[in-house]
């Protein structure tokens, strides 16, 4: 079977790296899909715990050669699977942040592990890097010298993934497993969506060279002066659909022109607005194919939608999130949990949450 056939998973997702005016570095993402695996919650994982980078056939008895011990604690959205947890995204106690997005039809992993490296199933990569690396530089070294992503199914499938990471210095990278090898792009624009690959998205921005933040003045046409009567004309031509190329373009220009927050709280608040501009409203993205359904998928919608949005801060080591149903911003402070030795899971809180401000009589 061709890997492109095996990798039939769909889904959207957008990632963004941004900074505040006082030097806080933020990394956030929209999780756009038609489901969220049963048991997915905000998950704290302590340092010092053993885990495995490869779990063949989902067996508990795993080869000790792929056993690791977490150097750093981490927190993010994920599953507390045994013997190895899965994080879709998150941050660690050293301020490294990042996550996985779908890379449909493009993702390609070798069948064999490079000699002298550790095999890693793609869904375990986020947790492995957060548990072992403190910086982007260490992530790059691990991927180039120490690890090999391998095409071994987990829960019956090998998901097509690519990754984005950022550390406390502000550098963001994109990691993409293509047919010609694993590509690591340094000092990126800080934007990632889905297929095609990062170089294509970057080049595609030239098609929107006229987009700007300044309104255009009135128009002289055939001796007639048409006075400008609405605002926002500087961004005419900016795509508004939910395709991966359009979301990449929107987020790239929003990052360029949007006013960053003065501090972390303001930065997170403003960044949520940027991510909302790329979010999927429920009902607007009806899936044309059914992705493989695993034993953990108990509620599958006919639509891709923004199930949740998360933002991490490298300096405060806080993990913020909202859900489609509940826009109240909640957060978990990683530093306050570092003395704990057992994992913790916190529900996303997907029930609607309204605050009544009607004065009492």
């Amino acid at each position: 079977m061709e890997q492109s056939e095996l990798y039939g998973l769909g889904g959207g997702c957008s990632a963004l790296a941004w900074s505040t005016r006082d030097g806080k570095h933020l990394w956030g993402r929209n999780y756009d899909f038609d489901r969220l695996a049963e048991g997915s919650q905000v998950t704290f994982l302590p340092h010092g715990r053993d885990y495995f980078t490869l779990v063949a056939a989902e067996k508990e008895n795993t080869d000790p050669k792929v056993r690791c011990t977490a150097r750093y604690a981490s927190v993010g959205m994920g599953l507390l699977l045994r013997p190895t947890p899965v994080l879709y995204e998150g941050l660690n106690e050293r301020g490294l942040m990042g996550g996985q997005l779908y890379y449909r039809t493009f993702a390609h992993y070798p069948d064999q592990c490079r000699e002298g490296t550790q095999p890693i199933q793609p869904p375990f990569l986020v947790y492995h890097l957060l548990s072992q690396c403190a910086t982007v530089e260490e992530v790059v070294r691990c991927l180039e010298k120490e690890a090999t992503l391998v095409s071994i199914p987990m829960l019956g499938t090998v998901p097509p993934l690519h990754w984005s990471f950022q550390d406390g210095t502000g550098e963001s990278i994109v990691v993409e497993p293509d047919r010609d090898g694993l590509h690591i792009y340094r000092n990126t624009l800080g934007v990632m969506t889905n297929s095609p690959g990062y170089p294509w998205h970057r080049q595609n921005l030239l098609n929107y060279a006229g987009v700007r933040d300044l309104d255009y003045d009135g128009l002289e046409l055939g001796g007639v002066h048409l006075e400008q009567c609405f605002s926002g004309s500087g961004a005419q031509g900016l795509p508004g659909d939910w395709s991966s190329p359009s979301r990449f373009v929107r987020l790239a220009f929003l990052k360029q022109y949007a006013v960053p927050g003065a501090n972390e709280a303001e930065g997170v608040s403003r960044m949520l607005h940027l991510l909302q501009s790329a979010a999927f409203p429920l009902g607007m993205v009806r899936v044309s194919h059914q992705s493989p359904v695993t034993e953990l998928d108990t509620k599958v919608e006919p639509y891709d939608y923004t199930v949740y949005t998360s933002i991490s801060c490298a300096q405060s080591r806080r993990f913020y999130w909202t859900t489609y149903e509940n826009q109240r911003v909640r957060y978990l402070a990683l530093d306050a949990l570092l003395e704990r030795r057992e994992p913790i899971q916190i529900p996303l809180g997907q029930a609607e949450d309204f605050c009544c401000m009607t004065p009492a009589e």
Side-chain angles (χ1 to χ4, degrees), residues 41 43 45 74-79 85-91 99-100 123-127 130:
Q41 298 185 55
T43 304
L45 298 164
S74 56
V75 65
M77 201 73 71
L79 288 164
V86 172
L87 288 182
Y88 314 138
E89 81 285 324
L91 80 156
Q100 64 188 33
F124 295 146
L125 184 63
V126 172
Y127 176 57
L130 291 181

Side-chain angles (χ1 to χ4, degrees), residues 71-148:
R71 298 175 62 194
Y72 306 117
S74 56
V75 65
M77 201 73 71
L79 288 164
L80 200 57
L81 298 181
R82 293 175 182 250
T84 298
V86 172
L87 288 182
Y88 314 138
E89 81 285 324
L91 80 156
N92 70 14
E93 61 183 277
R94 297 297 297 275
L96 180 66
M97 311 172 288
Q100 64 188 33
L101 279 70
Y102 278 119
Y103 193 39
R104 181 176 157 199
T105 78
F106 283 80
H108 185 90
Y109 314 108
D111 295 324
Q112 300 296 323
C113 186
R114 289 176 294 147
E115 186 176 355
T117 65
Q118 188 158 25
I120 300 180
Q121 287 166 293
F124 295 146
L125 184 63
V126 172
Y127 176 57
H128 178 67
L129 293 177
L130 291 181
S131 71
Q132 299 298 326
C133 302
T135 64
V136 160
E137 200 65 49
E138 291 184 13
V139 167
V140 173
R141 183 171 67 246
C142 177
L143 293 171
E144 289 182 342
K145 307 293 185 182
E146 302 167 6
T148 299

Side-chain angles (χ1 to χ4, degrees), residues 13-221:
C13 301
S14 304
L16 178 65
W18 210 23
S19 299
T20 64
R21 297 201 296 276
D22 66 347
K24 303 295 195 307
H25 298 300
L26 309 173
W27 186 94
R29 65 91 56 88
N30 288 336
Y31 183 95
D32 308 317
F33 201 29
D34 59 0
R35 73 197 77 160
L36 187 62
E38 186 73 21
S40 297
Q41 298 185 55
V42 178
T43 304
F44 163 75
L45 298 164
H47 64 262
R49 287 180 65 88
D50 289 346
Y51 65 94
F52 297 89
T53 59
L54 188 151
V55 183
E58 289 76 57
K59 293 180 181 178
E60 291 262 354
N61 297 324
T62 313
D63 187 344
K65 294 179 181 179
V66 294
R67 182 196 299 268
C68 295
T69 301
R71 298 175 62 194
Y72 306 117
S74 56
V75 65
M77 201 73 71
L79 288 164
L80 200 57
L81 298 181
R82 293 175 182 250
T84 298
V86 172
L87 288 182
Y88 314 138
E89 81 285 324
L91 80 156
N92 70 14
E93 61 183 277
R94 297 297 297 275
L96 180 66
M97 311 172 288
Q100 64 188 33
L101 279 70
Y102 278 119
Y103 193 39
R104 181 176 157 199
T105 78
F106 283 80
H108 185 90
Y109 314 108
D111 295 324
Q112 300 296 323
C113 186
R114 289 176 294 147
E115 186 176 355
T117 65
Q118 188 158 25
I120 300 180
Q121 287 166 293
F124 295 146
L125 184 63
V126 172
Y127 176 57
H128 178 67
L129 293 177
L130 291 181
S131 71
Q132 299 298 326
C133 302
T135 64
V136 160
E137 200 65 49
E138 291 184 13
V139 167
V140 173
R141 183 171 67 246
C142 177
L143 293 171
E144 289 182 342
K145 307 293 185 182
E146 302 167 6
T148 299
L149 290 163
V150 290
S151 181
I152 296 178
M154 174 187 162
L155 296 174
T157 188
V158 182
L161 303 172
H162 59 169
W163 297 265
S164 170
F165 290 92
Q166 184 185 30
D167 63 18
T169 70
E171 183 188 0
S172 60
I173 63 171
V174 169
V175 178
E176 294 185 330
D178 295 305
R179 287 190 174 274
D180 60 347
L182 186 71
H183 296 278
I184 302 173
Y185 303 101
R186 302 290 300 265
N187 296 299
T188 68
L189 292 167
V191 177
M192 190 172 80
T193 53
N194 309 108
S195 306
Y198 176 76
W200 185 96
H201 284 295
R202 182 178 57 190
Q203 194 75 9
N204 182 51
L205 292 173
L206 290 174
N207 288 314
Y208 304 91
V211 173
R212 65 184 195 182
D213 58 342
L214 179 64
D215 281 344
Y216 286 99
D217 292 330
L219 177 65
E220 296 287 341
L221 193 63

